[in-house]
Amino acid sequence: MLACVGLGAAHAQSHGRRDDMQLPPPPSARADRYPAPQIDGREQRSYDQMRDQQREQQRMLDDQQQRRQQMQEQSSRDGRREGRLTPDERRDLRRQINEAGADIYPNARRR
């Protein structure tokens, strides 16, 4: 294993290249192919208005999402939850309903 490391270092040194040498970043190919367009004042204003509208829409969506998340957190804090009841909860509910029914409709008189 040491022989491989030694051979690799010798090879890099003989070719004048070291692994820790900083290479310059490659030029941006996009900047060369697509130069930035020149925008006049009127186009700049319409661009700014469009960008402001997009920011406002994004802010509104973020506000809606935040409100929705707060409502979910509040409902979970209130102890309410959506979905099905557990077997224990169903059993307790059935018992409460039966007790309430017994209070409302006592046994009819025997004939």
Side-chain angles (χ1 to χ4, degrees):
M1 183 138 144
L2 290 175
C4 291
V5 173
L7 286 175
H11 177 68
Q13 191 174 24
S14 68
H15 290 290
R17 182 169 178 214
R18 292 179 33 199
D19 288 340
D20 59 336
M21 185 182 349
Q22 294 293 327
L23 297 175
S28 173
R30 183 173 183 199
D32 295 339
R33 281 189 266 156
Y34 304 107
Q38 299 297 325
I39 301 174
D40 66 355
R42 186 172 42 124
E43 289 178 359
Q44 182 66 36
R45 281 191 299 275
S46 67
Y47 174 75
D48 290 342
Q49 288 175 347
M50 191 171 27
R51 188 181 66 222
D52 290 343
Q53 288 174 350
Q54 289 174 346
R55 285 182 181 165
E56 181 66 23
Q57 288 174 350
Q58 185 63 38
R59 188 184 62 78
M60 290 172 58
L61 289 173
D62 291 343
D63 289 346
Q64 287 176 350
Q65 184 179 9
Q66 186 178 11
R67 271 189 255 117
R68 198 174 305 122
Q69 186 177 13
Q70 287 174 349
M71 288 174 55
Q72 287 175 349
E73 289 173 0
Q74 183 179 2
S75 67
S76 67
R77 273 184 272 143
D78 291 343
R80 285 193 244 161
R81 62 169 218 253
E82 297 178 19
R84 303 180 99 168
L85 296 175
T86 65
D88 291 334
E89 291 170 333
R90 284 196 303 271
R91 192 177 310 116
D92 289 340
L93 181 61
R94 192 176 303 117
R95 183 183 48 77
Q96 291 170 2
I97 291 170
N98 288 338
E99 288 175 1
D103 293 341
I104 293 173
Y105 303 107
N107 289 338
R109 289 185 281 166
R110 305 268 174 175
R111 292 184 183 183

